[in-house]
């Protein structure tokens, strides 16, 4: 795939190329006249840019409509953006599941896959499952590994810019794992690793509940909840990538951990034991008093943690995902707590993407990386400063 940066010294030419490519990607087989009108550039400039995009393999001539040809004689040449000039992967690595979404350069999903995995898998075994699942997706989609242009990955933990997991307690062997480096051995393209809650926040902004809001907090609820935030439309990671780690708030004077709060016995739950957690929720729905009290304690802790983050960031919208999307009545307690503590309570909504939020955000991370190359004059939502 061609690049519009590097060898071309002309900033104006790069700007013009980005403008024309934007127009091509957003229009339905435009003509040169259409592109001139849409971009406001001169026709010779548009012609020169389109010729360069042809050489880069990013644009082809569209097949003329047969009816148009009969009506007008020889029709004007039409062009289209080649979404198939390269492919992108968005990957989720979690305790119980690994999954992937595959798209062309336009971000449209053309393949997907997932595998259930054990929470007890070590890092090597988990990465083997990831590689096998990706190979299945590529094979079923008829896409060669060499045609991938970027891979985005969402995973629990505090992730450094190079893809190293500085701290990751949710997965065995994850702390200190050079995840980006390990995965880059399997690909010829960039691999970009992001915290899972951050990836989900990006996904909801792209295709989900927060698509109309630029100041957003996404909460990935669980026994150790995490959050991702967009401030002014940009992902906020914090200085060391640890922004939004609300699961650690119990350390600030709250000695009872979420694992104890949701337990119906004196023994804390294992945060990775989804069956045990689901059993408590199911018992609460059946009306068992002990389970109902445990769920109430869990919800109260969750809403207090979210309220603390909302006080600090003043978001327009809080989106709740993870386990909480399956909890009855989580939104109203959260709204009440936010109204109680916040000077300007944000709106609250459930995730629109559900389990697809993290891999969708990882895919957006890959797409952003490619767009930074193609549209080199602008910054993307997930760009690292």
């Amino acid at each position: 795939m061609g690049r519009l940066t590097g060898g071309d010294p002309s900033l104006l030419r790069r700007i013009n190329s980005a403008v024309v490519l934007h127009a091509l990607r957003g229009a339905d087989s435009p003509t040169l006249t259409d592109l001139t009108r849409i971009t406001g550039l001169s026709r010779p400039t548009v012609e020169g840019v389109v010729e360069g995009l042809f050489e880069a393999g990013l644009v082809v001539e569209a097949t003329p409509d047969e009816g148009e040809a009969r009506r007008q004689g020889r029709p004007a040449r039409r062009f289209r953006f080649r979404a198939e000039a390269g492919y992108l992967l968005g990957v989720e690595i979690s305790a119980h599941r690994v999954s992937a979404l595959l798209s062309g350069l336009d971000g449209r999903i053309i393949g997907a896959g997932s595998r259930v995995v054990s929470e007890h898998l070590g890092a090597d075994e988990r990465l083997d499952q990831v590689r096998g699942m990706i190979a299945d997706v590529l094979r079923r989609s008829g896409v060669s590994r060499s045609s991938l242009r970027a891979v985005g990955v969402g995973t629990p933990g505090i992730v450094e810019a190079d893809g190293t997991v500085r701290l990751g307690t949710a997965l065995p062997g994850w702390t200190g794992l050079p995840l980006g480096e390990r995965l880059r051995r399997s690909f010829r393209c960039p691999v970009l690793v992001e915290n899972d809650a951050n990836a989900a926040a990006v996904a909801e902004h792209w295709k989900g509940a927060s698509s109309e809001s630029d100041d957003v907090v996404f909460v990935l609820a669980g026994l150790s909840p995490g959050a991702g935030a967009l401030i002014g439309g940009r992902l906020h990671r914090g200085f060391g990538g640890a922004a939004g780690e609300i699961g650690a708030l119990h350390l600030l004077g709250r000695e009872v951990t979420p694992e104890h709060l949701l337990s119906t016995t004196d023994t804390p739950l294992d945060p990775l034991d989804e069956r045990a957690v689901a059993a408590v929720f199911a018992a609460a729905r059946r009306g068992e008093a002990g389970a109902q009290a445990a769920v109430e304690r869990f919800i109260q802790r969750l809403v207090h943690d979210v309220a603390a983050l909302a006080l600090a960031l003043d978001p327009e919208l809080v989106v709740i995902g993870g386990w909480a999307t399956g909890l009855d009545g989580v939104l109203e307690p959260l709204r009440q707590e936010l109204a109680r503590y916040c000077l300007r309570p944000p709106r609250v909504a459930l995730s629109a993407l559900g389990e697809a939020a993290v891999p969708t955000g990882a895919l957006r991370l890959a797409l952003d990386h490619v767009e930074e190359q193609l549209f080199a004059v602008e910054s993307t939502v997930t760009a690292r400063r």
Side-chain angles (χ1 to χ4, degrees):
M1 182 180 66
R3 291 186 62 176
L4 304 183
T5 59
D8 180 2
S10 169
L11 175 62
L12 180 59
R13 183 171 296 180
R14 294 203 304 271
I15 293 172
N16 290 341
S17 296
V19 169
V20 172
L21 196 53
H22 262 304
L24 276 162
R25 197 170 65 165
D28 183 17
S29 302
T31 64
L32 288 174
T33 300
D34 294 331
L35 291 172
T36 300
R37 174 180 52 80
I38 293 170
T39 63
L41 300 173
S42 69
R43 188 179 181 94
T45 297
V46 171
E47 288 178 337
V49 169
V50 170
E51 181 180 347
L53 295 174
F54 259 105
E55 294 175 358
L58 294 169
V59 171
V60 293
E61 190 167 346
T63 304
D65 180 76
E66 187 175 326
E68 181 184 12
R70 285 198 299 266
R71 291 192 305 271
Q72 300 180 4
R74 183 179 179 180
R77 296 174 68 197
R78 293 186 175 275
F79 306 92
R80 70 171 180 85
F81 173 68
R82 288 190 68 233
E84 70 276 17
Y87 297 91
L88 310 168
L89 266 177
V91 179
E92 177 186 15
I93 305 175
S94 68
H96 301 92
R97 188 177 72 131
V98 294
S99 62
L101 297 174
L102 176 70
S103 82
L105 295 181
D106 55 1
R108 296 182 182 179
I109 307 299
I110 62 170
S114 66
R115 287 186 180 183
V116 175
V117 297
S118 169
E119 67 269 25
H120 301 298
L121 285 182
D124 291 342
E125 293 84 359
R126 195 175 302 274
L127 290 178
D128 285 343
Q129 290 293 324
V130 171
R131 295 187 186 97
M133 180 268 303
I134 290 173
D136 288 344
V137 171
L138 294 176
R139 183 179 63 255
R140 293 197 309 269
S141 303
V143 171
S144 67
R145 187 176 296 263
S146 62
S147 65
L148 292 174
R149 300 303 179 223
V151 177
V153 180
T155 184
I158 299 172
V159 181
E160 297 181 348
D162 65 355
T164 298
V165 182
R166 179 156 57 91
L167 178 64
T169 58
L171 305 179
W174 225 239
T175 295
L177 179 71
L179 181 57
E181 177 185 330
R182 293 283 299 274
L183 289 176
R184 288 183 195 107
R185 300 172 189 171
S186 301
F187 302 98
R188 300 177 184 175
C189 64
V191 176
L192 307 111
V193 184
E194 186 58 81
N195 167 266
D196 52 359
N198 286 350
V202 170
E204 293 289 342
H205 187 256
W206 183 28
K207 292 187 174 183
S210 60
S211 60
E212 302 298 322
S213 302
D214 283 341
D215 291 274
V216 182
V217 165
F218 177 93
V219 178
L220 194 60
L223 287 184
S224 182
L230 297 180
I231 300 176
R234 288 181 58 86
L235 183 61
H236 178 70
R237 298 179 175 89
F239 177 75
E245 292 294 332
I246 58 176
L249 284 176
H250 71 274
L251 299 175
L252 302 178
R254 291 180 173 179
E255 298 180 356
V256 181
T257 65
E259 294 92 318
H260 282 90
L261 290 174
L262 198 57
S263 174
T264 57
T265 68
D266 293 332
T267 302
L269 296 180
D270 182 341
L272 299 181
D273 190 346
E274 288 190 347
R275 291 183 179 179
V277 173
V280 175
F281 290 137
R285 286 192 292 269
R286 292 194 302 267
E288 295 183 17
Q292 288 178 331
V295 170
E296 177 63 22
R297 291 194 300 266
F298 172 77
I299 291 177
Q300 285 300 311
R301 171 61 62 83
L302 175 64
V303 297
H304 288 163
D305 291 347
V306 175
L309 194 56
L311 275 170
L313 297 181
D314 185 30
E316 176 188 359
L317 176 66
V318 172
V319 180
I320 306 297
W323 292 345
T325 57
L327 290 179
D328 295 332
V330 69
L331 292 190
E332 192 54 37
L334 182 54
R335 291 189 181 104
Q336 292 173 3
E337 289 297 304
L338 293 177
R340 177 183 175 189
Y341 291 112
C342 298
L343 299 177
R344 191 208 58 77
R347 293 188 293 111
V348 182
L350 287 179
S351 166
L353 298 175
E355 289 188 344
V358 175
T360 299
L363 181 67
R364 180 71 241 188
L365 193 75
L367 181 58
D368 275 357
H369 177 81
V370 171
E371 288 186 347
E372 285 178 9
Q373 296 179 313
L374 300 182
F375 312 134
V377 295
E378 61 185 47
S379 181
T380 59
V381 171
T382 58
R384 291 185 182 267
R385 288 183 175 86

